[in-house]
Amino acid sequence: MIDQAAIAGPTRRARPGNPQRRDIQALRALAVALVVANHLWPGLIAGGYVGVDVFFVISGYLITKHLLGELGRTNRIRLGQFYARRAKRLLPAALVVALLSLLVATVYLPADRLLSIGRETIAATLYVENWSLAAQSVDYSAQNNQASTVQHYWSLSVEEQFYLVWPLLLLGVYLLAARLRSPRAFLLTVLAAVGAASFLFSIFLTYTSRSEAYFVTPTRVWEFAVGGLIAATSSAWFGDPRYPARIRLAGLAQWAGLGLIVASALVFDESTYFPGYLAAVPVVGTALVIASGPQSPLWSPNTLLGVSAVQTLGNISYSLYLWHWPVIILLPSIIDRPLGTLDLLGALLLSLVLAGLTKKYVEDPGRSRLLPQASPRKILGVTLVASLTVTAICAASIVAATVTQAAEAERLDALSGGECFGAKSLFATACQDPFGPPEVTNVGEGEAPWFDDAQCGTAPDPIVVGDQKLLTLCDFSDGQEDHETVWLIGDSHAEQWKAAILPLARENNWTVNISLVGGCPYLDVKRAAFMGAETDTKVQRRCLQWSAAVSDRVLATSPDLVFLSSFSVGEEIEDGTGRAQADQYRDAFADRVGPWAAQGTEVYVIRDTPLTLERSTPECLARNEESPLDCANEKTRALPDDPAAEAARSLEQANVRVLDLSDQFCPDDTCYAAIGGLHVYFDKDHVARSYIRSLIPEFAERFKAAGS
């Protein structure tokens, strides 16, 4: 007789008496490693975010297995005890990390950052951070918001919402199934139906509102349901030790599953439409590993992943997930520089150390020694008090930051009429050092380039692309029939000039049409990449639709003036020729703007503002209050050629002109972060509104001189 076990080869079995599945711990280790690597080195592991999906499938499997086991033994689910265990398992570490991160942020970050961090910490504490981020993701200006220390809590919020609802669903299904002839089939049908509905919704929302789809809970339920289906059918589809052939099949399934997870992490990137149907790749991979069970041949990956280092990483995966993000966010402010290669390695090491300490002194004691004899009601009561305490601390930080911002706003108003206000200090001889410490130390949302004006609203005949209306009309004509018509076109770097153009429009009784799309060139050419990240075809198509619609409207209405500006230095265009960017810009600009000028429209291209190089930021000035020159940059690095402005100059048409105010940022060989008592920049990418306001006299003078 042939020995089937010998054909299967040596088998690695789960350790007797140890209920913890080492293959699942290895999955946890892989998942957290992918997420951390993605956040530290996004260019290397661009799709590392799939680690979150691995966690979701694991949670769905473990929780469903536990709940079904309890139902099978007792015919009920003790909901209070279940929720109490979840609270003791997850909440202590989450609250400690969130609170300590907030306290460190209070010391090292400017007050305006504390407003968003405080608000998001409250959302994270109440486990609604995913919905908070989803709401922000559909706001145009939200793309420029800087990440908070608890942004990664969105996935914990999704899990907690799952933990809240899933036991109720299973209990309801169990009670209904008890009256049926095939209760198991009914359970599987319901789980499959819930998963299928969520999967279809995920596909739909990903292709209609991808940013929102990434965060909201309904698009992720199917991932938990996949884990639940495995638990409801069998914990080891393949690895049954009674059938050696299945052991071999388990090994193959484990290799295939890990291969799918790793492949998705390496192939996917920020342009991938995710979660959507592509999330099935890491989800199916995780399902294969879990379903194959702990039994495996020695040649399976479980042998390698069972080593102590991997198991240890799996053990601290929750604490490591909590700590790595605030370390990445806060460390640049603590060490006063952007993170270099060694700094990133240091951030990884620090995260591991903090995770190990939190696991030993917070996570494990919270689960085993916190209120060991207490009733579920008491545990949940203490949990509520702890959450409300953290919420109160966050609220206090928000109030303090708000008071600080209000005081700074008053100081800003007092400064705004002076002759040494911002850029005015470059010309006034009575001013002291124009590049000294800013007199207004806090840059809040009031300094954002995106703002509303009372005389602006959606145009009655808007430009519509997809579901967005992309034309705003600002009427300053006071009913005059012979008023001039003006357009402002571009991206967010054009929007920052609203603070100068709208006052000029009010003074000259213009009507201003504003059409702005972040990250889109106004040329009839594909944007291949932006800020080093490849642009997906849907964004390219949207940009081309918008720019064509704007051009058609300009040609149809023949406005008197058009102002153009864009972050052309940060984008890469591709017309299919593969030529140098300057050559492509020159020809694309001539093709797009030449016809506007030919019909008599005066076109003014505003030369883009200097780069901050992540140095000339409010955070840098907050760290260097007495030495703002430490946040300045060399002009040769901060002010590269602006391809759009160079293309305008090369066109050599009399009514196509360049407005270059770069000397108002870089009056010598240096580009400054603080000028005339003001922060020059609102964030790492845009000029502060007050500094643009200080440029109004010079902007108006140069505009008039260019047109004379």
Side-chain angles (χ1 to χ4, degrees), residues 275-601:
Y277 69 89
L278 287 174
V281 179
V283 167
V284 169
T286 307
L288 285 172
V289 175
I290 296 175
S292 64
Q295 305 287 342
S296 57
L298 290 180
W299 47 263
S300 87
N302 283 353
T303 302
L304 298 175
L305 297 177
V307 299
S308 59
V310 174
Q311 295 298 303
T312 298
L313 184 60
N315 288 335
I316 66 170
S317 59
Y318 178 58
S319 291
L320 179 58
Y321 182 83
L322 292 175
W323 271 119
H324 82 282
W325 184 252
V327 167
I328 293 172
I329 295 299
L330 295 170
L331 192 57
S333 296
I334 295 172
I335 65 176
D336 195 19
R337 63 174 180 269
L339 298 182
T341 301
L342 292 179
D343 299 322
L344 291 170
L345 292 173
L348 175 59
L349 179 60
L350 178 60
S351 300
L352 288 168
V353 171
L354 290 172
L357 293 174
T358 304
K359 169 72 174 175
K360 182 176 181 179
Y361 295 108
V362 179
E363 189 180 339
D364 287 346
R367 181 172 58 246
S368 60
R369 297 198 292 273
L370 179 64
L371 304 173
Q373 305 301 323
S375 66
R377 179 177 297 180
K378 183 176 181 179
I379 293 172
L380 293 174
V382 171
T383 297
L384 179 61
V385 170
S387 299
L388 292 177
T389 300
V390 174
T391 299
I393 294 172
C394 293
S397 72
I398 292 172
V399 171
T402 302
V403 170
T404 299
Q405 281 200 335
E408 294 295 324
E410 291 182 5
R411 189 179 305 175
L412 183 62
D413 288 339
L415 290 172
S416 61
E419 63 177 6
C420 297
F421 178 66
K424 296 179 182 179
S425 65
L426 298 174
F427 302 96
T429 57
C431 301
Q432 296 181 351
D433 182 11
F435 313 118
E439 296 184 53
V440 180
T441 58
N442 176 51
V443 177
E445 284 298 316
E447 291 294 278
W450 31 92
F451 63 93
D452 296 321
D453 189 283
Q455 290 176 266
C456 299
T458 302
D461 53 346
I463 293 171
V464 179
V465 177
D467 59 349
Q468 287 189 300
K469 296 179 179 179
L470 300 174
L471 183 60
T472 298
L473 177 64
C474 303
D475 189 355
F476 300 100
S477 66
D478 289 335
Q480 298 180 17
E481 294 184 1
D482 60 344
H483 65 273
E484 290 186 300
T485 301
V486 179
W487 281 71
L488 173 61
I489 300 168
D491 55 18
S492 61
H493 281 222
E495 186 165 20
Q496 63 192 5
W497 290 105
K498 280 168 52 178
I501 291 173
L502 294 187
L504 199 61
R506 186 174 281 108
E507 178 184 338
N508 292 279
N509 301 116
W510 294 342
T511 58
V512 183
N513 295 277
I514 301 175
S515 191
L516 308 164
V517 178
C520 280
Y522 49 77
L523 307 176
D524 185 21
V525 64
K526 291 181 180 179
R527 191 197 77 181
F530 185 68
M531 302 288 282
E534 184 178 346
T535 301
D536 64 70
T537 54
K538 186 175 181 180
V539 172
Q540 289 178 346
R541 185 165 57 251
R542 177 172 177 264
C543 288
L544 289 170
Q545 290 174 349
W546 165 73
S547 65
V550 169
S551 182
D552 290 344
R553 191 69 65 88
V554 170
L555 289 171
T557 58
S558 297
D560 299 283
L561 305 170
V562 171
F563 290 100
L564 297 171
S565 190
S566 67
F567 188 28
S568 54
V569 171
E571 65 190 13
E572 178 183 338
I573 62 173
E574 181 53 64
D575 62 5
T577 65
R579 296 176 298 159
Q581 287 291 293
D583 295 334
Q584 293 189 48
Y585 264 99
R586 183 189 63 243
D587 293 345
F589 186 89
D591 291 342
R592 172 67 81 207
V593 178
W596 303 353
Q599 67 181 8
T601 297

Side-chain angles (χ1 to χ4, degrees), residues 28 31-33 35-36 39 52 55 86-102 121 124-125 127 129 148-157 159-160 313-330 347-348 350-364 367:
R28 286 193 174 112
V32 77
V35 172
V36 173
H39 290 155
V52 171
F55 279 126
R86 290 293 91 200
K88 289 176 65 176
R89 166 70 178 87
L90 300 173
L91 210 63
L95 290 180
V96 166
V97 173
L99 186 56
L100 289 178
S101 300
L102 176 66
T121 302
T125 300
Y127 287 105
E129 172 69 350
S148 76
T149 52
V150 292
Q151 184 169 296
H152 61 313
Y153 276 54
W154 75 267
S155 62
L156 306 183
S157 298
E159 286 212 28
E160 286 302 312
L313 184 60
N315 288 335
I316 66 170
S317 59
Y318 178 58
S319 291
L320 179 58
Y321 182 83
L322 292 175
W323 271 119
H324 82 282
W325 184 252
V327 167
I328 293 172
I329 295 299
L330 295 170
L348 175 59
L350 178 60
S351 300
L352 288 168
V353 171
L354 290 172
L357 293 174
T358 304
K359 169 72 174 175
K360 182 176 181 179
Y361 295 108
V362 179
E363 189 180 339
D364 287 346
R367 181 172 58 246

